[in-house]
Amino acid sequence: MKLIREFEERCLAMAIDGEIDGGIHPYIGQEAVAAGVCSNLTDQDFLTSTHRGHGHVLAKGADPRRLLAELLGTLEGFNKGRGGSMHAADMKLGILGANGIVGAGGAIASGAAWAAKARGNSQVVVSFFGDGAMSQGVLLEAFNLAAIWSLPVLFVCENNMYATSLKLESGLAGNAARRAEGFGMVARTVDGMDVEAVASATKDLIEHCRAGRGPAFLECSTYRFFGHHSVLELLGVEFRDRDEVAEWRERDPIPLLGAKLGDDVVASIEEAIKKEIDDAVEFAKNAATPEPKDALMYLYAGATAVRPGVIL
Amino acid sequence: MSELPSPENFGYMHAMNRALHAEMAADEDVFLLGEDVGVGASGVTSGLLPRFGAERVLDTPLSEQAFTSFGTGAAMLGKKPVIEFQISSLIYLVFEQIVNQAHKFSLMTGGQVRIPVTYLVSGSGSRFGWAGQHSDNPYSLLAHAGIKTVVPGLPSDAYGLLRSAIQDPDPVAVFAPSSLLGATDPAYGGEEEIVPLGEANVVREGADLTIVAVGQHVGTAIEVAESLGDRVDIEIVDPRTVYPFDWDCLRKSVNKTGRLVVIDDSNRMCGLGAEIVATAAEEFDLVAPPRRVCRPDGTVIPYALALDKALVPGAEQLTDAVEATLKSVSK
Ligand SMILES: Cc1ncc(C[n+]2csc(CCOP(=O)(O)OP(=O)(O)O)c2C)c(N)n1
């Protein structure tokens, strides 16, 4: 959790300073979800992530140096600078990509789960998405496919109560977990600010998936402490009640767990992580930028001739 | 129809069916999914379920968006999905899943994955009387987006290109024109060869004028070339793959004949014909302005048969365009 927090605070500052191009969607506040869920996964398992994906990617074990290098658009990034924040992927770790389209990952996860199941081992796929994604048709179609074909997917809805500025109750009819139950899935709702609660609920549901009993659904009630993305932060656009933000900040998952770990442990974790992130910043800033002439490299396998446009 | 398709049947649909049988037999990672593929409702997928089983022939619910990206996810883990779309317009429902997801993953991940999915649109174009939502021919849209796209015009190509599409490491769309599904080609004597993607075919050699004909219009062009045979010696180029397009083959042909007419069942605005004519104008040695025969801008096919037929290009419009091209001279 601390690694995600420190990474995200640096990134947010770098995005606001213009060191990171484009915008980032900070995960700050939601760390307990990524950490709690991914603590139940191995390198053999898979995940699909969202536009707010840094936390998921790091919790799955991705190297923060290469993630930051990707955010700086360099060749040392996982995606060689072609993906950036919203597409960070590390196939070796089973990270099938963050995704810039809300709700898109669920169907990809289902296909991956089908292929994994066909291999005959007990790999699972976790698909993260927000409450906003619950209104995307493709996600609901994917629930149906996963359920009828009994696929090992854990759908994790991070309910942070907002889809950009749209409040949960203005966007979601009924209730996320009850909807999932309507597809015949086992569904649970947990306090997404309590990493132990998330980890323990995930453990049960993943066991269910690994045992071949079909998909499951986990709703985590959580909150993002910052705005929707760094550009809104920069513009100072606010749409949430300040008291509401302050109330949720009191339930910050990191100090909540820290109180249980004790000051010494916390201090040593903080020190180690600060160093790790300093290293990542150093590494990423020194990484090489790809050549404009290679802009379309990797698009096609082999040498499909792309005809001239602006730079070629 | 659940028995193995007979090689004595030289039809277009049977050729595609044989290609699916061959690829599924050759590579265990190839699997088929779509609506009613088990019973082979389109004819193209007949006999696959009994032969390869429900693990490799997946009858899907009516969930085009989910099953299209399902293919992407399975491809990420090493499978080679072939997805059949019952109706060409369903491609509009899954534009996001094909163009924004499957196509982009290779570049966006810096080459970490390839997505070898085949999108099989097995009855594209007007079906005469199926009206607005069942008669489009949206291959230009996919070509515009950079999806490898093939439109076989002959049974032998339908066989050979479908096999190449399935073997290709990238997403490939295969459009089978509806009017060809029942077509046979006695000259195609069961010789089954793989046809590489990206290679055009000179269907007929000629000296005076090049017709580029796509899909079912290969037949239209042959008919027109024969009917005008005593007045003009027409060369016919079938691109077969519309993206990537075989510009070298067309350049050779047009530089020889100096005249170009394109017949293609796309809408005019931003259609394939527009691209071919523009490239010819920019790069080829023309003695007359190039022309195209295509559907009008933004066509919606009406139900009434006379209106449907009036909007879809045919031999008459092609003949007019050839004659106009022969009369005009570049300034
Ligand atoms: C299909 C789609 N519609 C709209 C957008 C623009 N957009 C990006 S994030 C977002 C809000 C998503 O909300 P939610 O799923 O709750 O996730 P959160 O941002 O709260 O983590 C929107 C509307 C998009 N990327 N994709």
Side-chain angles (χ1 to χ4, degrees), chain A residues 13-60:
Chain A
M14 289 169 88
I16 289 174
D17 288 350
E19 282 180 273
I20 288 176
D21 294 324
I24 64 150
H25 298 78
Y27 194 66
I28 295 169
Q30 302 185 197
E31 295 89 343
V33 179
V37 169
C38 292
S39 65
N40 289 286
L41 302 179
T42 75
D43 284 1
Q44 300 305 305
D45 297 315
F46 300 91
L47 67 78
T48 65
S49 174
T50 67
H51 58 287
R52 200 178 299 289
H54 305 166
H56 311 142
V57 170
L58 289 172
K60 187 76 170 57

Side-chain angles (χ1 to χ4, degrees), chain B residues 41-331:
Chain B
S42 67
V44 173
T45 62
S46 293
L48 294 165
L49 177 64
R51 181 166 172 203
F52 297 104
E55 296 290 298
R56 293 181 65 196
V57 180
L58 276 59
D59 266 322
T60 61
L62 286 67
S63 306
E64 290 78 14
Q65 301 189 41
F67 69 63
T68 304
S69 272
F70 180 97
T72 302
M76 284 180 176
L77 268 66
K79 296 286 184 183
K80 294 180 189 158
V82 179
I83 307 180
E84 191 192 42
F85 294 93
Q86 279 187 336
I87 303 166
S88 58
S89 309
L90 297 177
I91 289 292
Y92 304 143
L93 276 180
V94 297
F95 221 58
E96 135 66 15
Q97 285 75 24
I98 295 178
V99 174
N100 215 19
Q101 305 289 339
H103 174 55
K104 294 185 181 174
F105 260 98
S106 50
L107 181 136
M108 291 194 308
T109 60
Q112 290 181 70
V113 273
R114 306 238 65 99
I115 311 292
V117 192
T118 304
Y119 308 106
L120 179 56
V121 185
S122 55
S124 193
S126 166
R127 298 174 178 184
F128 301 124
W130 282 78
Q133 293 169 343
H134 287 64
S135 303
D136 288 357
N137 219 343
Y139 52 79
S140 290
L141 291 177
L142 292 189
H144 177 77
I147 311 296
K148 294 179 179 176
T149 301
V150 301
V151 190
L154 302 170
S156 50
D157 287 339
Y159 176 87
L161 288 166
L162 179 53
R163 290 203 64 177
S164 286
I166 296 170
Q167 290 173 17
D168 197 88
D170 292 322
V172 183
V174 179
F175 286 84
S178 61
S179 58
L180 290 183
L181 286 180
T184 53
D185 179 2
Y188 159 58
E191 294 271 310
E192 316 240 83
E193 276 174 29
I194 292 186
V195 177
L197 300 184
E199 279 186 20
N201 179 26
V202 179
V203 176
R204 181 186 200 272
E205 298 206 13
D208 304 333
L209 182 145
T210 301
I211 294 178
V212 174
V214 179
Q216 71 272 32
H217 292 307
V218 174
T220 316
I222 293 172
E223 183 189 326
V224 168
E226 298 297 326
S227 74
L228 298 177
D230 53 341
R231 290 197 285 137
V232 50
D233 187 15
I234 291 177
E235 178 145 309
I236 300 171
V237 174
D238 170 6
R240 304 193 286 197
T241 303
V242 301
Y243 187 84
F245 195 92
D246 188 349
W247 295 109
D248 290 340
C249 173
L250 187 61
R251 177 179 287 108
K252 248 172 81 191
S253 173
V254 174
N255 287 353
K256 174 178 73 174
T257 63
R259 295 183 185 83
L260 173 67
V261 176
V262 182
I263 179 162
D264 140 61
D265 194 25
S266 297
N267 293 348
R268 184 181 183 96
M269 180 73 185
C270 299
L272 179 69
E275 178 56 37
I276 296 172
V277 164
T279 300
E282 281 176 342
E283 299 177 10
F284 299 169
D285 300 331
L286 289 163
V287 299
R291 289 177 183 270
R292 76 197 113 141
V293 181
C294 53
R295 296 183 181 193
D297 286 351
T299 293
V300 177
I301 296 290
Y303 172 67
L305 203 55
L307 308 186
D308 178 328
K309 289 192 166 167
L311 291 170
V312 175
E316 209 177 308
Q317 295 98 321
L318 181 58
T319 303
D320 290 350
V322 167
E323 294 196 340
T325 305
L326 290 172
K327 275 187 211 132
S328 61
V329 176
S330 271
K331 281 163 209 125

Side-chain angles (χ1 to χ4, degrees), chain A residues 43-91:
Chain A
D43 284 1
Q44 300 305 305
D45 297 315
F46 300 91
L47 67 78
T48 65
S49 174
T50 67
H51 58 287
R52 200 178 299 289
H54 305 166
H56 311 142
V57 170
L58 289 172
K60 187 76 170 57
D63 178 353
R65 299 188 311 165
R66 296 196 58 211
L67 179 57
L68 195 58
E70 185 56 36
L71 297 186
L72 294 189
T74 68
L75 287 170
E76 305 294 337
F78 296 116
N79 311 31
K80 304 199 173 63
R82 269 64 169 193
S85 173
M86 280 193 284
H87 305 299
D90 184 349
M91 294 295 157

Side-chain angles (χ1 to χ4, degrees), chain A residues 25 30 50-52 86 99-103 129-134 136 158 160-164 224 228:
Chain A
H25 298 78
Q30 302 185 197
T50 67
H51 58 287
R52 200 178 299 289
M86 280 193 284
N99 208 303
I101 299 301
V102 170
F129 48 85
D131 45 286
M134 289 294 296
Q136 280 287 318
E158 291 184 84
N160 60 17
M161 300 186 359
Y162 289 88
T164 312
R224 53 175 156 71
H228 174 65

